[in-house]
Amino acid sequence: MTDDVLAQLAAIIKDRKTAPADKSYTRQLLDAGSSRCAKKLGEEAVETVMAGVSEDDDALRAEAADLLYHLLVLLESRAIAIDDVLAVLEKRMGLSGLEEKASRTQ
């Protein structure tokens, strides 16, 4: 289910590239470029961390959703498909976290 939701949201974000900028927040972010999208993702990451340490579960869920949305916007701004990211995760699933991390430093 999760990858379907992410794929659907990624498709909506891609479609918003052609929406009127005065009616689409996504379009405004994309028009501002990858740097702005990355900064916004960073802001959302901090808010997610803060919710994880000091807010209730509903707040964490909401911030996590914002974080995923902004990650997808950044990926779209760089023309990276969510399926490519999911493929990387899928390859890592057969390794322990320590093995996977060690393989990146070699």
Side-chain angles (χ1 to χ4, degrees):
M1 178 183 118
T2 303
D3 58 342
D4 292 340
V5 170
L6 290 175
Q8 289 173 17
L9 183 54
I12 290 168
I13 290 166
K14 186 179 198 82
D15 287 344
R16 296 283 162 83
K17 285 169 57 172
T18 58
D22 64 336
K23 298 199 186 290
S24 173
Y25 173 67
T26 301
R27 167 76 187 269
Q28 291 174 9
L29 284 172
L30 292 169
D31 284 353
S34 296
S35 179
R36 175 67 183 125
C37 294
K39 287 177 186 173
K40 188 61 184 168
L41 177 64
E43 292 170 17
E44 295 300 335
V46 169
E47 290 174 11
T48 302
V49 169
M50 298 299 290
V53 229
S54 62
E55 297 182 33
D56 65 19
D57 290 350
D58 287 339
L60 179 56
R61 285 184 196 98
E63 292 300 340
D66 289 347
L67 181 64
L68 289 173
Y69 161 78
H70 284 89
L71 173 60
L72 291 174
V73 171
L74 175 60
L75 292 172
E76 180 61 35
S77 76
R78 297 282 305 269
I80 296 173
I82 186 61
D83 287 343
D84 295 343
V85 176
L86 294 175
V88 171
L89 284 174
E90 188 172 35
K91 277 199 258 182
R92 292 179 181 177
M93 288 175 63
L95 302 172
S96 78
L98 295 175
E99 291 172 324
E100 191 281 325
K101 189 170 182 167
S103 73
R104 286 190 268 159
T105 60
Q106 296 176 2

